[in-house]
């Protein structure tokens, strides 16, 4: 680890530079999931983007999707299920499906427990303007907290209940409402190489994908065994986090696909569309550059903790991911991207205090847990961490005491 000379940004102190190998084009580091570098030092995510833009016949894919919609239209209780968080991607997906195809969807919302005031207002406005029916499910909060602690200890990622619930619960609803078409938004190929655009295949949001990277390698059955010795729960509490039997889904003749596999995905432009057409509002997010990415990850008030853990584990957080996306799209200069990363990524989020209250652990215990999941060659430097700023709604977030 070396020191960068000179003070940078608002923190006004020398900040460390993590000596990680990084993509010569977008800056993603070697600790990034699924990343590989070619002889030119360019990562596979950048190469996927090139293939997406130059080689995929998007007109043909659009026709393929239109045929898929017609195959299911009017034959079931709903034309399709749309899993919905209220963020930019699911809101755009719902908008696109209603406005472009005039379908009747059932919107399914899995409430992970941390929805923010602006998001809730966005949701109400979106549902009323588009005229859709909505089913919202909220899991047992006491179970959620125990699952968060166990996932943090096991994987250094407390979001297991959110990852699994968002992807498994809508599949249960598809079975209950006899609705076989499920339409998600953004494909994973935009950010990782678990599925590669260069394979020119349609990414299916199925059990294989669920077990490949959504559930962190921990099934609901695994989780039940992990927490059973010290936590009293009803086995039915974990049912929403299980994936339905494949035989039942096949009997339904389900298709579970991403809209972004059929149209070129562009988060910034799509956010502008829902802002102008639906009045959707972005928000500030802890430790993100003010005003620059107000459309990104506004759904959760512990997002700052999630990004902070990623920084401690892997040496980067969401600023790197967003500037990498902008660099691939030619929307930012490399020097500006590097400056934003150095200025904002090493900040402790204020929401960490709330998070520690929920889990009933000290910050020392938190740091000790996260240190066990660090991805080499990265090594976190706690001395370089500075305090981040509160967001406007911080004092409105639920507290345990």
């Amino acid at each position: 680890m070396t020191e960068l000379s000179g003070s940078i940004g608002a923190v006004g102190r020398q900040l460390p530079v993590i000596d990680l190998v990084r993509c010569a084009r977008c800056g993603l580091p070697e600790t990034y999931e699924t990343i590989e570098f070619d002889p030119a030092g360019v990562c596979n995510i950048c190469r996927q983007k090139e293939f997406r833009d130059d080689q995929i016949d998007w007109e043909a894919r659009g026709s393929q999707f239109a045929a898929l919609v017609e195959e299911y239209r009017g034959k079931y209780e709903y034309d399709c299920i749309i899993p919905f968080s209220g963020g930019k991607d699911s809101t755009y997906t719902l908008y696109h499906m209603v406005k472009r195809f005039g379908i009747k969807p059932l919107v399914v919302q899995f409430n992970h427990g941390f929805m923010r005031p602006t998001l809730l207002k966005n949701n109400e406005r979106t549902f009323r303007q588009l005229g859709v029916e909505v089913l919202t499910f909220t899991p047992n909060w006491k179970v959620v907290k125990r699952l968060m602690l166990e996932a943090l200890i096991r994987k250094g990622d407390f979001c297991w209940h959110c990852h699994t619930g968002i992807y498994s619960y809508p599949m249960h609803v598809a079975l209950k409402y006899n609705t076989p078409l499920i339409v998600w938004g953004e494909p994973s190929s935009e950010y990782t190489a678990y599925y590669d655009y260069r394979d020119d295949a349609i990414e299916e949001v199925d059990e294989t994908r669920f077990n490949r990277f959504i559930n962190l390698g921990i099934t609901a059955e695994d989780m039940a065994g992990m927490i059973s010795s010290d936590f009293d729960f009803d086995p039915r509490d974990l049912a929403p986090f299980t994936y339905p039997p494949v035989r039942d889904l096949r009997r339904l003749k389900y298709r579970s696909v991403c809209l972004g596999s059929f149209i070129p995905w562009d988060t910034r432009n799509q956010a502008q569309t829902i802002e102008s057409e639906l009045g959707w509002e972005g928000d500030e997010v802890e430790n993100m550059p003010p005003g620059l990415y107000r459309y990104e990850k506004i759904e959760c008030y512990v997002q700052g903790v999630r990004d902070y853990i990623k920084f401690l584990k892997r040496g980067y957080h969401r600023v790197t991911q967003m500037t990498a996306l902008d660099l691939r799209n030619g929307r930012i200069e490399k020097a500006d991207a590097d400056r934003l990363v150095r200025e904002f990524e090493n900040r402790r989020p204020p929401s960490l205090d709330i998070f520690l209250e929920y889990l009933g652990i000290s910050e020392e215990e938190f740091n000790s847990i996260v240190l066990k999941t660090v991805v080499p060659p990265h090594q976190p430097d706690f001395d370089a961490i500075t305090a981040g700023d509160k967001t406007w709604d911080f004092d409105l977030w639920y507290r345990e005491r």
Side-chain angles (χ1 to χ4, degrees), residues 156-176:
D157 184 344
F158 62 89
C159 299
W160 182 88
H161 82 283
C162 184
H163 298 319
T164 57
I166 283 177
Y167 284 95
S168 61
Y169 187 73
M171 306 307 290
H172 288 283
V173 173
L175 289 169
K176 290 177 180 176

Side-chain angles (χ1 to χ4, degrees), residues 80-293:
C80 70
I81 300 270
I82 297 183
F84 188 89
S85 70
K88 63 187 185 311
D89 298 309
S90 61
T91 302
Y92 181 80
T93 300
L94 179 59
Y95 166 81
H96 184 91
M97 294 301 295
V98 171
K99 292 294 186 180
R100 167 68 177 79
F101 292 102
I103 50 93
K104 178 177 176 59
L106 175 59
V107 178
V108 178
Q109 189 169 54
F110 182 89
N111 185 342
H112 46 63
F114 307 99
M115 291 185 174
R116 298 176 61 188
T118 298
L119 183 91
L120 294 173
K121 290 182 180 177
N122 282 340
N123 290 349
E124 181 179 11
R125 188 186 305 111
T126 296
F127 298 153
R128 292 188 179 193
Q129 291 201 18
L130 293 178
V132 294
E133 296 173 14
V134 182
L135 183 64
T136 300
F137 174 78
T138 304
N140 181 326
W141 172 244
K142 292 184 178 180
V143 173
V144 165
K145 289 194 299 179
R146 183 63 186 89
L147 297 177
M148 289 168 61
L149 176 60
E150 193 66 26
L152 178 67
I153 293 171
R154 298 279 179 175
K155 305 296 288 190
D157 184 344
F158 62 89
C159 299
W160 182 88
H161 82 283
C162 184
H163 298 319
T164 57
I166 283 177
Y167 284 95
S168 61
Y169 187 73
M171 306 307 290
H172 288 283
V173 173
L175 289 169
K176 290 177 180 176
Y177 282 85
N178 188 37
T179 300
L181 179 61
I182 304 98
V183 181
W184 308 79
E186 189 176 41
S188 66
S189 304
E190 286 292 305
Y191 292 98
T192 64
Y194 288 107
Y195 293 86
D196 194 322
Y197 277 126
R198 292 173 292 183
D199 295 334
D200 204 17
I202 302 299
E203 181 177 337
E204 298 277 345
V205 189
D206 56 14
E207 188 177 31
T208 298
R209 184 181 187 273
F210 185 79
N211 289 325
R212 178 174 291 180
F213 63 93
I214 295 296
N215 70 359
L216 308 176
I218 303 173
T219 67
E221 292 78 10
D222 294 335
M223 188 62 85
M226 292 172 181
I227 67 175
S228 59
S229 64
D230 63 8
F231 185 71
D232 186 19
F233 65 98
D234 187 314
R236 291 173 293 183
D237 290 336
L238 293 182
F241 308 102
T242 63
Y243 209 82
V246 172
R247 73 174 71 87
D248 292 343
L249 292 170
R250 287 175 177 164
R251 192 177 300 124
L252 184 64
K253 298 181 180 179
Y254 83 112
R255 288 295 306 276
S256 178
V257 298
C258 299
L259 178 61
S261 295
F262 301 96
I263 65 172
W265 206 252
D266 187 329
T267 55
R268 179 168 292 193
N269 285 340
Q270 289 163 189
Q272 291 173 352
T273 296
I274 57 176
E275 286 170 3
S276 63
E277 298 298 320
L278 298 174
W280 187 88
E281 296 180 4
D283 210 340
E284 55 182 319
V285 175
E286 287 179 321
N287 299 342
M288 292 296 289
L292 195 54
Y293 297 109

Side-chain angles (χ1 to χ4, degrees), residues 270-375:
Q270 289 163 189
Q272 291 173 352
T273 296
I274 57 176
E275 286 170 3
S276 63
E277 298 298 320
L278 298 174
W280 187 88
E281 296 180 4
D283 210 340
E284 55 182 319
V285 175
E286 287 179 321
N287 299 342
M288 292 296 289
L292 195 54
Y293 297 109
R294 289 180 60 84
Y295 52 84
E296 177 69 12
K297 291 297 178 185
I298 68 167
E299 300 98 316
C300 175
Y301 60 71
V302 288
Q303 180 63 43
V305 179
R306 178 169 169 75
D307 290 339
Y308 181 58
I309 291 175
K310 186 180 295 182
F311 177 73
L312 295 177
K313 285 175 59 177
R314 298 178 181 272
Y316 75 92
H317 90 352
R318 190 159 301 280
V319 178
T320 291
Q321 288 181 275
M322 296 312 298
T323 55
L325 197 62
D326 276 350
L327 284 165
R328 288 188 210 110
N329 284 293
R331 291 168 173 165
I332 192 173
E333 297 295 329
K334 186 65 164 57
D336 292 332
D338 291 343
R339 177 183 58 78
L340 291 172
V341 168
R342 289 194 299 267
E343 183 172 342
F344 289 96
E345 286 210 331
N346 67 330
R347 300 184 180 189
R348 179 191 184 279
S351 62
L352 182 60
D353 294 329
I354 298 176
F355 177 82
L356 296 175
E357 284 180 15
Y358 292 162
L359 268 58
I361 59 176
S362 67
E363 187 160 357
E364 289 73 23
E365 290 171 318
F366 169 84
N367 289 340
S368 176
I369 291 169
V370 173
L371 278 173
K372 294 176 182 176
T373 65
V374 168
V375 178

